[in-house]
Amino acid sequence: MKLVVDENMPFVRELFADFGEIVALNGRHLSAAQVSDADVLLVRSVTQVNQSLLANNTQLKFVGSATIGTDHIDHAYLGSRGIPFASAPGCNATSVGEYVFNALLELADKYHADLRQKTVGIIGAGNTGSAVAKCLTAWGVKVLLCDPLLAQTEDPREFVTLEQLLAEADAISLHVPISHQGEHATYHLLDADKLALMKPDCWLVNASRGDVVDNHALLAKLRAQPFPVALDVWEGEPKPLAELVPLVDIATPHIAGYSLEGKALGTYMLYQTLCELLQVSPTKSLTELLPVNWYQTLTLNQTPDQAELLRLCRFIYDLRDDDRQFRKIHQIPDGFDNMRKNHRHRREFSALALVNADGSEVDCLSKLGFSGVTR
Ligand SMILES: NC(=O)C1=CN([C@@H]2O[C@H](COP(=O)(O)OP(=O)(O)OC[C@H]3O[C@@H](n4cnc5c(N)ncnc54)[C@H](O)[C@@H]3O)[C@@H](O)[C@H]2O)C=CC1
Ligand SMILES: O=C(O)C(=O)[C@H](O)COP(=O)(O)O
């Protein structure tokens, strides 16, 4: 069997080598010729999987995307060809949740604000939105959720309308898939009119898809009156609107989901699906592949203050490093993709086992997901 895989997929050889020959290629530039004799195609979000990519292939048995979003997949085309498809729902949700929490802590630090005095509005309350809410709630921040689709279900959480969220939130984080049609389409969900409804100085974080926010409208608003913004995703990736970058406080190249755990789980979920499809029992485990946790002895107050929490978060992942690097490379040809490809995989909070020197457990840190170890 021949497996054509995105080269930016950790542990793919360890997990899939037993199935056959693995050919790892640049996913952004994958051509029809390169996949023409593939039996299995494993992609990430940068590969458009559609008729023009697959028309020459008559033997494809499975397409997998090691991502949460599937907007790069032509589902109707795969369906019409009867090619099984799987993605990896939720695989990097914790990573996105922790990225956004870190970003909000950085904004709070920069603007001398207390995050716990803010109301954070989360638009889209699925896996990634819930992961953000989990971190914020653990830290005692008030959260508003807007998700008109979940609001129509048995979901017991309380939901607000988009208009209410825009009117009340001091910070907004976006966690919707990109969609272009229907009552709840998210393309330019925040357009000039919606951006105008935000409270003055409301913070904005986007780690969903770039075109959920009209980037030209955002640029115009920032030029008229700067306000705190963190963007991980951009319209027109891999070429973000160059003028927008200097006006935002935190700028990164679509790496919110790039924890080692999140990326590895994406690959692993596809491994499980292929095993099921081929009716073989999985023989590999993810925990075997991941490196050991870090141990850190700390002396912490029972309730760390914001500065102490930020220090801890920066210890595991210092968002400012990615921000600094991004500003240097975003206008260089292939800079965006090369930074992603060479991204040093960060670990999630759970990889940091905290041994509190006074022997006590710090409740909010356990709730944030840090491994609490007491003596
Ligand atoms: N920056 C990054 O690295 C990453 C970005 N993403 C993006 O984040 C998106 C969301 O991921 P998940 O939370 O895991 O997906 P999910 O499917 O678990 O949740 C999305 C939620 O958005 C809601 N929604 C849809 N339209 C809406 C609207 N108009 N207003 C409010 N809510 C709406 C849905 O009802 C659903 O509950 C993905 O589709 C992907 O595009 C995901 C992972 C990493
Ligand atoms: O999972 C998703 O959805 C994402 O946005 C991915 O984390 C993005 O990473 P790549 O698939 O582009 O490597």
Side-chain angles (χ1 to χ4, degrees), residues 269-337:
M269 287 168 79
L270 299 186
Y271 165 71
Q272 287 177 308
T273 308
L274 187 60
C275 285
E276 213 172 289
L277 201 69
L278 300 178
Q279 298 186 320
V280 297
S281 302
T283 54
K284 329 261 181 198
S285 95
L286 184 57
T287 37
E288 249 161 46
L289 298 173
L290 288 171
V292 291
N293 288 348
W294 301 323
Y295 284 87
Q296 177 81 353
T297 304
L298 298 158
T299 309
L300 287 168
N301 297 324
Q302 261 305 328
T303 309
D305 62 13
Q306 185 172 284
E308 204 168 3
L309 179 66
L310 180 59
R311 182 171 63 86
L312 209 52
C313 290
R314 282 179 182 163
F315 175 82
I316 196 154
Y317 171 52
D318 196 333
L319 189 45
R320 297 171 303 171
D321 294 338
D322 279 339
D323 172 70
R324 271 191 289 266
Q325 195 187 344
F326 181 74
R327 289 174 198 280
K328 288 188 198 143
I329 58 83
H330 74 94
Q331 292 196 71
I332 297 173
D334 292 327
F336 192 94
D337 279 347

Coordinates of all heavy atoms in Angstrom, one line a residue, residues 269-337:
M269 N -5.6 9.7 15.8 CA -7.0 9.5 15.5 C -7.2 8.9 14.1 O -8.0 8.0 13.9 CB -7.8 10.7 15.7 CG -8.0 11.1 17.2 SD -8.7 12.7 17.5 CE -10.4 12.5 17.2
L270 N -6.3 9.3 13.2 CA -6.4 8.8 11.8 C -5.9 7.3 11.8 O -6.4 6.5 11.1 CB -5.6 9.6 10.9 CG -6.1 11.1 10.7 CD1 -5.3 11.8 9.6 CD2 -7.6 11.2 10.4
Y271 N -4.9 7.1 12.6 CA -4.4 5.7 12.7 C -5.5 4.8 13.2 O -5.7 3.7 12.7 CB -3.2 5.7 13.7 CG -2.7 4.4 14.2 CD1 -2.1 3.4 13.4 CD2 -3.0 4.0 15.5 CE1 -1.7 2.2 13.8 CE2 -2.6 2.7 16.0 CZ -2.0 1.8 15.2 OH -1.6 0.6 15.6
Q272 N -6.2 5.2 14.3 CA -7.3 4.4 14.8 C -8.4 4.2 13.7 O -8.9 3.1 13.6 CB -7.9 5.1 16.0 CG -7.1 5.1 17.2 CD -7.7 5.8 18.4 OE1 -8.1 7.0 18.2 NE2 -7.8 5.2 19.5
T273 N -8.7 5.2 13.0 CA -9.7 5.1 11.9 C -9.3 4.1 10.8 O -10.1 3.3 10.4 CB -10.1 6.4 11.3 OG1 -10.3 7.3 12.4 CG2 -11.3 6.3 10.4
L274 N -8.0 4.2 10.4 CA -7.5 3.3 9.3 C -7.5 1.9 9.8 O -7.9 1.0 9.1 CB -6.2 3.8 8.8 CG -5.7 3.0 7.6 CD1 -6.6 3.2 6.4 CD2 -4.3 3.5 7.2
C275 N -7.1 1.7 11.1 CA -7.1 0.3 11.6 C -8.5 -0.3 11.6 O -8.7 -1.4 11.2 CB -6.7 0.3 13.1 SG -4.9 0.5 13.3
E276 N -9.5 0.6 12.0 CA -10.9 0.1 12.0 C -11.4 -0.2 10.5 O -12.0 -1.3 10.3 CB -11.8 1.3 12.5 CG -13.0 0.9 13.3 CD -13.6 2.2 13.9 OE1 -13.0 2.7 14.8 OE2 -14.6 2.6 13.4
L277 N -11.0 0.7 9.6 CA -11.4 0.5 8.2 C -10.8 -0.8 7.6 O -11.5 -1.5 6.9 CB -10.9 1.7 7.4 CG -11.5 2.0 6.1 CD1 -13.0 2.5 6.3 CD2 -10.7 3.1 5.4
L278 N -9.5 -1.1 8.0 CA -8.9 -2.3 7.5 C -9.1 -3.5 8.3 O -8.5 -4.5 8.1 CB -7.4 -2.0 7.3 CG -7.0 -0.8 6.4 CD1 -5.5 -0.6 6.3 CD2 -7.5 -1.1 5.0
Q279 N -9.9 -3.3 9.4 CA -10.2 -4.4 10.3 C -9.0 -5.0 10.9 O -8.8 -6.2 11.0 CB -11.1 -5.4 9.7 CG -12.4 -4.7 9.3 CD -13.4 -5.7 8.7 OE1 -13.1 -6.6 8.0 NE2 -14.7 -5.5 9.1
V280 N -8.0 -4.1 11.4 CA -6.9 -4.7 12.1 C -6.9 -4.0 13.5 O -7.4 -2.9 13.7 CB -5.5 -4.4 11.4 CG1 -5.4 -5.1 10.1 CG2 -5.3 -2.9 11.2
S281 N -6.3 -4.7 14.5 CA -6.3 -4.1 15.8 C -5.1 -3.2 16.0 O -4.0 -3.5 15.6 CB -6.1 -5.2 16.9 OG -7.1 -6.2 16.8
P282 N -5.4 -2.0 16.6 CA -4.3 -1.0 16.8 C -3.2 -1.7 17.7 O -3.6 -2.3 18.7 CB -5.0 0.1 17.5 CG -6.4 0.0 17.3 CD -6.7 -1.5 17.1
T283 N -2.0 -1.5 17.4 CA -0.9 -2.1 18.2 C -0.1 -1.0 18.9 O 0.8 -1.2 19.7 CB 0.0 -3.0 17.4 OG1 0.5 -2.2 16.3 CG2 -0.6 -4.2 16.9
K284 N -0.3 0.3 18.5 CA 0.5 1.4 19.0 C -0.4 2.2 20.0 O -1.6 2.3 19.8 CB 0.9 2.3 17.9 CG 1.2 1.6 16.6 CD 2.6 1.4 16.3 CE 2.8 0.7 15.0 NZ 4.1 0.1 14.8
S285 N 0.3 2.8 20.9 CA -0.4 3.7 21.8 C 0.3 5.1 21.8 O 1.5 5.2 21.6 CB -0.4 3.2 23.3 OG 0.6 3.7 24.0
L286 N -0.6 6.1 21.9 CA -0.1 7.5 21.8 C 0.9 7.8 23.0 O 1.9 8.4 22.8 CB -1.2 8.4 21.8 CG -0.9 9.9 21.6 CD1 -0.2 10.1 20.3 CD2 -2.2 10.7 21.5
T287 N 0.5 7.3 24.2 CA 1.4 7.7 25.4 C 2.8 7.2 25.2 O 3.7 7.8 25.7 CB 0.7 7.2 26.7 OG1 0.2 5.9 26.4 CG2 -0.3 8.1 27.2
E288 N 2.9 6.1 24.5 CA 4.3 5.5 24.3 C 5.1 6.5 23.5 O 6.4 6.5 23.6 CB 4.1 4.3 23.4 CG 4.4 3.0 24.0 CD 3.8 1.9 23.1 OE1 3.9 1.9 21.9 OE2 3.1 1.0 23.7
L289 N 4.5 7.2 22.6 CA 5.2 8.1 21.6 C 5.6 9.4 22.2 O 6.6 10.0 21.9 CB 4.4 8.3 20.4 CG 4.0 7.1 19.6 CD1 3.1 7.4 18.4 CD2 5.3 6.5 19.0
L290 N 4.7 9.9 23.1 CA 4.9 11.3 23.6 C 6.1 11.3 24.6 O 6.3 10.3 25.4 CB 3.7 11.8 24.3 CG 2.5 12.2 23.4 CD1 1.3 12.5 24.2 CD2 2.9 13.4 22.6
P291 N 6.9 12.4 24.6 CA 8.0 12.4 25.6 C 7.5 12.6 27.0 O 6.3 12.9 27.2 CB 8.8 13.7 25.2 CG 7.9 14.4 24.2 CD 6.9 13.5 23.7
V292 N 8.3 12.3 28.0 CA 7.9 12.3 29.4 C 7.6 13.8 29.8 O 8.0 14.7 29.2 CB 9.0 11.8 30.3 CG1 9.2 10.3 30.2 CG2 10.3 12.5 30.2
N293 N 6.8 13.9 30.8 CA 6.4 15.2 31.4 C 7.6 15.9 32.0 O 8.6 15.2 32.4 CB 5.3 15.0 32.4 CG 4.0 14.6 31.7 OD1 3.9 14.7 30.5 ND2 3.0 14.2 32.5
W294 N 7.5 17.2 32.2 CA 8.5 17.9 32.9 C 8.1 18.0 34.3 O 6.9 18.2 34.6 CB 8.6 19.4 32.4 CG 8.9 19.5 30.9 CD1 9.8 18.7 30.2 CD2 8.4 20.5 30.0 NE1 9.8 19.2 28.9 CE2 9.0 20.3 28.8 CE3 7.5 21.6 30.2 CZ2 8.7 21.1 27.7 CZ3 7.3 22.4 29.1 CH2 7.8 22.1 27.9
Y295 N 9.0 18.0 35.2 CA 8.7 18.2 36.6 C 9.3 19.5 37.1 O 10.4 19.8 36.7 CB 9.2 17.0 37.5 CG 8.3 15.8 37.3 CD1 8.6 14.9 36.2 CD2 7.2 15.6 38.1 CE1 7.7 13.9 36.0 CE2 6.4 14.6 37.9 CZ 6.6 13.7 36.8 OH 5.7 12.7 36.6
Q296 N 8.6 20.2 37.9 CA 9.0 21.5 38.3 C 8.6 21.7 39.7 O 7.4 21.5 40.1 CB 8.4 22.6 37.4 CG 8.7 24.0 37.8 CD 10.0 24.4 37.2 OE1 10.8 23.6 36.6 NE2 10.4 25.7 37.3
T297 N 9.6 22.0 40.6 CA 9.2 22.3 42.0 C 9.1 23.8 42.1 O 9.9 24.6 41.7 CB 10.4 21.8 42.9 OG1 10.6 20.4 42.7 CG2 10.0 22.0 44.4
L298 N 8.0 24.2 42.6 CA 7.7 25.6 42.7 C 7.2 25.9 44.1 O 6.6 25.1 44.8 CB 6.5 26.0 41.8 CG 6.8 25.7 40.3 CD1 5.4 25.6 39.6 CD2 7.6 26.9 39.7
T299 N 7.4 27.2 44.5 CA 6.7 27.6 45.7 C 5.6 28.6 45.3 O 5.9 29.6 44.7 CB 7.7 28.3 46.7 OG1 8.8 27.5 46.8 CG2 7.1 28.6 48.0
L300 N 4.4 28.2 45.5 CA 3.3 29.0 45.0 C 2.4 29.3 46.1 O 2.2 28.5 47.1 CB 2.5 28.1 44.0 CG 3.1 27.9 42.6 CD1 2.3 26.9 41.9 CD2 3.1 29.2 41.8
N301 N 1.7 30.5 46.0 CA 0.7 30.8 46.9 C -0.5 29.9 46.6 O -0.6 29.4 45.5 CB 0.2 32.2 46.8 CG 1.3 33.2 47.1 OD1 2.1 32.9 48.0 ND2 1.4 34.2 46.4
Q302 N -1.4 29.6 47.5 CA -2.5 28.8 47.3 C -3.3 29.4 46.0 O -3.7 28.6 45.2 CB -3.5 28.8 48.5 CG -3.3 27.5 49.3 CD -3.5 26.3 48.5 OE1 -4.3 26.2 47.5 NE2 -2.8 25.2 48.9
T303 N -3.4 30.7 46.0 CA -4.0 31.3 44.8 C -2.9 32.2 44.2 O -2.7 33.3 44.7 CB -5.2 32.1 45.2 OG1 -6.1 31.3 45.9 CG2 -6.0 32.6 43.9
P304 N -2.2 31.7 43.1 CA -1.2 32.6 42.5 C -1.8 33.8 42.0 O -3.0 33.8 41.6 CB -0.6 31.7 41.4 CG -1.5 30.5 41.3 CD -2.4 30.5 42.4
D305 N -1.1 34.9 42.0 CA -1.6 36.1 41.3 C -1.4 36.0 39.8 O -0.8 35.1 39.3 CB -1.1 37.4 41.9 CG 0.4 37.5 41.7 OD1 1.0 36.8 40.9 OD2 1.0 38.4 42.4
Q306 N -2.0 37.0 39.1 CA -1.9 36.9 37.6 C -0.5 36.9 37.1 O -0.2 36.2 36.2 CB -2.7 38.1 37.1 CG -2.8 38.1 35.6 CD -3.8 39.2 35.1 OE1 -5.0 39.1 35.2 NE2 -3.2 40.2 34.5
A307 N 0.4 37.7 37.7 CA 1.8 37.7 37.3 C 2.4 36.3 37.4 O 3.2 35.9 36.6 CB 2.6 38.8 38.0
E308 N 2.1 35.7 38.6 CA 2.7 34.4 38.8 C 2.2 33.3 37.8 O 2.9 32.5 37.4 CB 2.4 34.0 40.3 CG 3.3 33.0 40.8 CD 3.1 32.8 42.4 OE1 2.2 33.5 42.9 OE2 3.9 32.1 43.0
L309 N 0.9 33.4 37.6 CA 0.3 32.5 36.6 C 0.9 32.7 35.2 O 1.2 31.7 34.5 CB -1.3 32.7 36.6 CG -2.0 31.8 35.6 CD1 -1.9 30.4 36.0 CD2 -3.4 32.2 35.4
L310 N 1.1 34.0 34.8 CA 1.6 34.3 33.5 C 3.1 33.7 33.4 O 3.5 33.1 32.4 CB 1.6 35.8 33.3 CG 2.2 36.3 32.0 CD1 1.5 35.7 30.8 CD2 2.2 37.8 31.9
R311 N 3.8 33.8 34.5 CA 5.2 33.3 34.6 C 5.1 31.8 34.3 O 5.9 31.2 33.6 CB 5.8 33.6 36.0 CG 7.2 33.1 36.1 CD 7.8 33.6 37.5 NE 7.1 33.1 38.6 CZ 7.4 32.0 39.3 NH1 8.3 31.2 38.8 NH2 6.7 31.7 40.3
L312 N 4.2 31.1 34.9 CA 4.0 29.6 34.8 C 3.6 29.3 33.4 O 4.2 28.4 32.8 CB 2.9 29.2 35.8 CG 3.0 27.8 36.3 CD1 4.3 27.5 36.9 CD2 1.9 27.7 37.4
C313 N 2.7 30.0 32.8 CA 2.2 29.8 31.4 C 3.4 30.0 30.5 O 3.6 29.3 29.5 CB 1.0 30.7 31.1 SG -0.4 30.2 32.0
R314 N 4.2 31.1 30.7 CA 5.3 31.4 29.8 C 6.4 30.3 29.9 O 7.1 30.1 29.0 CB 5.9 32.7 30.1 CG 5.1 33.9 29.6 CD 5.8 35.2 30.0 NE 5.1 36.4 29.6 CZ 5.2 37.6 30.1 NH1 6.1 37.8 31.0 NH2 4.5 38.6 29.6
F315 N 6.5 29.7 31.1 CA 7.5 28.6 31.3 C 7.1 27.5 30.3 O 8.0 26.9 29.7 CB 7.4 28.2 32.7 CG 8.3 27.0 33.0 CD1 9.7 27.2 33.2 CD2 7.8 25.7 33.0 CE1 10.5 26.1 33.4 CE2 8.7 24.6 33.2 CZ 10.0 24.8 33.4
I316 N 5.9 27.2 30.2 CA 5.5 26.0 29.3 C 5.4 26.5 27.8 O 5.8 25.8 26.9 CB 4.3 25.3 29.8 CG1 4.1 24.0 29.1 CG2 3.0 26.1 29.6 CD1 3.3 23.0 30.0
Y317 N 4.9 27.7 27.6 CA 4.9 28.2 26.2 C 4.9 29.8 26.3 O 3.9 30.4 26.7 CB 3.6 27.7 25.5 CG 3.3 28.4 24.2 CD1 4.3 28.4 23.2 CD2 2.1 29.0 23.9 CE1 4.1 29.1 22.0 CE2 1.9 29.6 22.7 CZ 2.9 29.6 21.7 OH 2.7 30.3 20.5
D318 N 5.9 30.3 25.7 CA 6.0 31.8 25.7 C 5.6 32.3 24.3 O 6.3 32.3 23.4 CB 7.5 32.2 26.0 CG 7.5 33.7 26.4 OD1 6.6 34.5 25.9 OD2 8.4 34.1 27.1
L319 N 4.3 32.7 24.3 CA 3.7 33.2 23.1 C 4.5 34.3 22.4 O 4.5 34.5 21.2 CB 2.3 33.6 23.5 CG 1.2 34.0 22.5 CD1 1.1 33.0 21.4 CD2 -0.1 34.1 23.2
R320 N 5.2 35.1 23.2 CA 5.9 36.3 22.7 C 7.0 35.8 21.7 O 7.3 36.6 20.8 CB 6.5 37.1 23.9 CG 5.4 37.7 24.8 CD 6.1 38.3 26.0 NE 6.9 37.3 26.7 CZ 7.7 37.6 27.7 NH1 7.8 38.9 28.2 NH2 8.4 36.7 28.3
D321 N 7.6 34.6 21.9 CA 8.6 34.2 21.0 C 8.0 34.0 19.6 O 8.6 34.4 18.6 CB 9.2 32.8 21.4 CG 9.9 32.9 22.7 OD1 10.3 34.0 23.1 OD2 10.0 31.9 23.4
D322 N 6.9 33.4 19.5 CA 6.2 33.2 18.2 C 5.8 34.5 17.6 O 5.9 34.7 16.4 CB 5.0 32.2 18.3 CG 5.4 30.8 18.3 OD1 6.5 30.4 17.9 OD2 4.6 30.0 18.8
D323 N 5.3 35.4 18.4 CA 4.9 36.7 17.9 C 6.1 37.5 17.3 O 6.0 38.0 16.2 CB 4.3 37.5 19.1 CG 4.0 38.9 18.8 OD1 3.1 39.2 18.0 OD2 4.8 39.8 19.3
R324 N 7.2 37.4 18.1 CA 8.4 38.2 17.6 C 8.9 37.6 16.2 O 9.2 38.3 15.3 CB 9.6 38.0 18.6 CG 9.6 39.1 19.6 CD 10.8 39.1 20.5 NE 10.9 38.0 21.4 CZ 10.5 38.0 22.6 NH1 10.0 39.1 23.2 NH2 10.5 36.9 23.4
Q325 N 8.9 36.2 16.2 CA 9.4 35.6 15.0 C 8.5 35.9 13.8 O 8.9 36.2 12.7 CB 9.6 34.1 15.2 CG 10.4 33.4 14.1 CD 10.4 31.9 14.2 OE1 10.0 31.4 15.2 NE2 10.8 31.2 13.2
F326 N 7.2 35.8 14.1 CA 6.2 36.1 13.0 C 6.4 37.4 12.4 O 6.3 37.6 11.1 CB 4.8 35.9 13.6 CG 3.7 36.1 12.5 CD1 3.5 35.1 11.6 CD2 2.9 37.2 12.5 CE1 2.5 35.3 10.6 CE2 2.0 37.4 11.5 CZ 1.7 36.4 10.6
R327 N 6.6 38.5 13.2 CA 6.7 39.8 12.7 C 7.9 39.9 11.7 O 8.0 40.7 10.8 CB 6.9 40.8 13.8 CG 5.5 41.0 14.6 CD 5.6 41.9 15.8 NE 4.5 41.6 16.6 CZ 3.3 42.1 16.4 NH1 3.1 43.0 15.4 NH2 2.2 41.8 17.2
K328 N 9.0 39.1 12.0 CA 10.2 39.1 11.1 C 9.9 38.4 9.8 O 10.5 38.8 8.8 CB 11.3 38.5 11.8 CG 11.9 39.2 13.0 CD 13.2 38.6 13.5 CE 13.5 39.1 14.9 NZ 14.1 38.0 15.7
I329 N 9.1 37.4 9.8 CA 9.0 36.5 8.6 C 7.8 36.6 7.7 O 7.7 36.1 6.7 CB 9.2 35.0 9.0 CG1 8.2 34.6 10.0 CG2 10.6 34.8 9.5 CD1 6.9 34.1 9.4
H330 N 6.8 37.3 8.2 CA 5.5 37.2 7.5 C 5.4 37.7 6.1 O 4.6 37.4 5.3 CB 4.3 37.8 8.4 CG 4.3 39.3 8.4 ND1 3.5 40.0 7.5 CD2 4.9 40.2 9.2 CE1 3.7 41.3 7.8 NE2 4.5 41.4 8.8
Q331 N 6.4 38.6 5.8 CA 6.4 39.1 4.4 C 7.5 38.4 3.5 O 7.5 38.7 2.3 CB 6.7 40.6 4.4 CG 5.5 41.4 5.1 CD 5.6 42.9 4.8 OE1 5.4 43.3 3.7 NE2 5.9 43.6 5.8
I332 N 8.2 37.5 4.1 CA 9.2 36.7 3.3 C 8.5 35.6 2.6 O 7.6 35.0 3.1 CB 10.3 36.1 4.3 CG1 11.0 37.2 5.0 CG2 11.2 35.2 3.5 CD1 12.0 36.7 6.1
P333 N 8.8 35.4 1.3 CA 8.1 34.3 0.6 C 8.3 33.0 1.4 O 9.4 32.7 1.8 CB 8.9 34.2 -0.8 CG 9.5 35.6 -0.9 CD 9.8 36.1 0.4
D334 N 7.2 32.2 1.5 CA 7.2 31.0 2.3 C 7.5 31.1 3.8 O 7.6 30.2 4.5 CB 8.2 29.9 1.7 CG 7.8 29.5 0.3 OD1 6.5 29.4 0.1 OD2 8.6 29.2 -0.5
G335 N 7.6 32.4 4.2 CA 7.9 32.6 5.7 C 6.9 32.0 6.6 O 7.2 31.4 7.6
F336 N 5.6 32.2 6.2 CA 4.5 31.8 7.0 C 4.5 30.2 7.1 O 4.5 29.7 8.2 CB 3.2 32.2 6.3 CG 1.9 32.1 7.1 CD1 1.4 33.2 7.8 CD2 1.2 30.9 7.1 CE1 0.2 33.1 8.6 CE2 0.0 30.8 7.8 CZ -0.5 31.9 8.5
D337 N 4.6 29.6 6.0 CA 4.6 28.1 6.0 C 5.9 27.5 6.6 O 5.8 26.5 7.3 CB 4.5 27.6 4.6 CG 3.0 27.6 4.1 OD1 2.1 27.8 5.0 OD2 2.7 27.4 3.0

